Amino acid sequence: LANTYLKMGAPDRSLELYRDALDIALDADLDELAETTLANIGVARVNMGDNEGAIPYFQDAMSFARALDDDRGMRICLNNLAGAFNNMGKHREALELFNDALHYAGKAEDKYGLRVIFCNMGYTYRLLGDAQHALEYYTLALGTAQQINDREGEALAKYWITALQRGEEKQAAT
């Protein structure tokens, strides 16, 4: 329900419901639910433009993920945390977090997660003006998307590969 309110543009109601869910999870010692809810609060804050406010929620979710030995949860939290850093213009820090997320995605054999992180790293390198590294990561995303038949991921990676190649051709022509 909280996700629905967030998508409907009612983030305050969404956060209220997430906080209620978190209280219940903590009271009932439902650590998996607490981890997920904390991460969702972080995502909601990012969606509201409060990237700094999201960071403690992602960090708290990662504490639960570590305690639960939840590699996929660590991957998701690190990826989201890196996104918040990217939004704040802290691209080098974001790349470090994405690299950490890659480690957990590999441990969890999470191919979809790898594809997402590769795309996000390509995006970050584009923000830094490093087309060559961006192209490398989008190419990795494309290969991973094709391995798991992720058509959306494949389309996204092909789009950015083409855009980067065209940009390089334009630069070479001038």
Side-chain angles (χ1 to χ4, degrees):
L1 189 56
N3 286 334
T4 302
Y5 275 105
L6 188 61
K7 290 177 185 175
M8 289 174 33
D12 292 335
R13 179 69 175 132
S14 175
L15 286 174
E16 180 183 325
L17 291 169
Y18 279 136
R19 286 189 190 106
D20 289 347
L22 181 59
D23 288 343
I24 293 167
L26 294 173
D27 287 345
D29 290 325
L30 300 170
D31 291 348
E32 294 90 354
L33 180 59
E35 173 194 343
T36 300
T37 304
L38 286 162
N40 285 337
I41 292 171
V43 170
R45 290 206 164 281
V46 166
N47 289 339
M48 294 169 60
D50 182 14
N51 294 289
E52 284 193 38
I55 291 171
Y57 290 98
F58 292 135
Q59 291 171 333
D60 289 348
M62 288 186 334
S63 294
F64 278 97
R66 274 189 213 94
L68 294 165
D69 199 28
D70 179 5
D71 293 332
R72 185 175 175 277
M74 283 296 294
R75 184 274 296 170
I76 291 168
C77 289
L78 285 163
N79 184 63
N80 288 330
L81 183 59
F85 274 85
N86 249 351
N87 292 342
M88 294 186 298
K90 298 179 179 184
H91 308 306
R92 295 286 174 201
E93 293 92 331
L95 287 172
E96 290 176 28
L97 292 164
F98 284 134
N99 273 314
D100 292 344
L102 283 174
H103 166 76
Y104 286 101
K107 278 181 64 178
E109 298 181 11
D110 180 1
K111 296 274 190 184
Y112 176 81
L114 287 170
R115 194 278 293 164
V116 168
I117 297 164
F118 290 148
C119 277
N120 288 339
M121 292 180 82
Y123 172 73
T124 304
Y125 277 112
R126 273 192 359 213
L127 292 174
L128 289 168
D130 186 343
Q132 185 58 44
H133 277 103
L135 188 60
E136 289 174 23
Y137 280 97
Y138 283 127
T139 301
L140 287 169
L142 175 61
T144 305
Q146 289 171 333
Q147 286 176 9
I148 60 173
N149 199 28
D150 174 3
R151 303 288 289 159
E152 180 182 349
E154 185 177 351
L156 182 65
K158 284 181 177 180
Y159 172 85
W160 285 113
I161 289 168
T162 302
L164 285 165
Q165 289 172 338
R166 285 186 178 158
E168 289 175 5
E169 289 171 13
K170 287 179 185 175
Q171 288 176 350
T174 57

